[in-house]
Amino acid sequence: MSFVWPWQYSFPPFFTLQPNGETRQKQLSAWCALALAYSQQHRLPAMTVREAQDIPLFANHRLQRKLPLESIQVVLEELRKNGNLEWLDKNKTSFLIMWKRPEEWGKLIYQWVSKNGLTNSVFTLYELVSGDDTENEEFHGLDEATLLRALQALQQEHKAEIITLDDGRGVKFF
């Protein structure tokens, strides 16, 4: 399935953050929506800001336009304010875009557990995101860092407990 770019992506001024406050806010909203949709479709891994500069999300090669590094950082910070990005280092050079917040992933996982009568069951992390039983679920294939954040959110709600197993980590659902 190919990615469908929004109309703004073909509009050269989109790659220059606008000075007018109202216009800039609409532009940032469009960039955030694009970043989330692109990240979801391509299941982007954690990356550095420099690496992000060269992916199609921020570089339209057909137009020969790139969003400048400083503007990428503004978009990423906006995503962080919205709860959809986590900086992975103090210097804000590495990040992870979360097209769903950990609480949303946790809710999806717990709905699957409840729907299938699997409360009071223990799963390895691998079984949850790579097992045959979850193949048709949206969280199938989720990276481990995001999965752990989702399970921590469930743990705070007392719906799950992350446990250490002989061969790695697992989770028990309540």
Side-chain angles (χ1 to χ4, degrees):
M1 191 164 81
S2 66
F3 187 72
V4 179
W5 296 99
W7 68 269
Q8 297 99 321
Y9 190 75
S10 299
F11 187 56
F14 187 56
F15 290 84
T16 304
L17 286 185
Q18 301 301 303
N20 177 286
E22 188 177 327
T23 304
R24 183 186 188 101
Q25 198 51 51
K26 287 179 184 175
Q27 184 184 26
L28 284 174
S29 293
W31 270 113
C32 288
L34 173 57
L36 293 173
Y38 186 87
S39 297
Q40 180 174 8
Q41 172 118 9
H42 296 281
R43 296 217 172 213
L44 289 185
M47 68 177 69
T48 68
V49 177
R50 291 227 181 266
E51 290 169 337
Q53 233 184 341
D54 296 320
I55 63 172
L57 172 60
F58 295 116
N60 185 328
H61 297 292
R62 194 172 54 75
L63 290 180
Q64 297 183 336
R65 296 293 304 258
K66 279 185 176 185
L67 192 65
L69 192 59
E70 309 78 46
S71 299
I72 291 173
Q73 289 173 313
V74 170
V75 171
L76 296 177
E77 190 55 31
E78 189 72 13
L79 284 165
R80 187 203 58 78
K81 287 179 195 170
N82 296 337
N84 294 108
L85 180 134
E86 184 175 312
W87 291 110
L88 301 176
D89 61 347
K90 284 187 229 171
N91 297 329
K92 297 183 179 183
T93 59
S94 299
F95 64 91
L96 176 66
I97 293 179
M98 300 175 283
W99 63 92
K100 287 189 186 296
R101 292 190 310 281
E103 300 80 17
E104 294 170 308
W105 284 118
K107 184 177 179 183
L108 281 175
I109 292 167
Y110 198 76
Q111 285 172 344
W112 175 80
V113 167
S114 298
K115 178 178 73 178
N116 290 290
L118 298 169
T119 51
N120 296 317
S121 298
V122 175
F123 293 89
T124 64
L125 300 188
Y126 177 85
E127 286 176 304
L128 270 182
V129 295
S130 301
D132 294 340
D133 293 341
T134 63
E135 210 166 39
N136 296 322
E137 300 301 321
E138 191 176 353
F139 58 85
H140 188 84
L142 196 61
D143 64 278
E144 188 173 325
T146 304
L147 174 63
L148 282 171
R149 287 174 180 85
L151 296 175
Q152 287 165 349
L154 287 174
Q155 193 167 266
Q156 288 177 338
E157 296 176 26
H158 306 291
K159 293 181 176 179
E161 181 181 357
I162 299 169
I163 56 176
T164 302
L165 303 169
D166 292 339
D167 56 347
R169 286 191 262 192
V171 59
K172 179 172 182 169
F173 293 100
F174 305 111

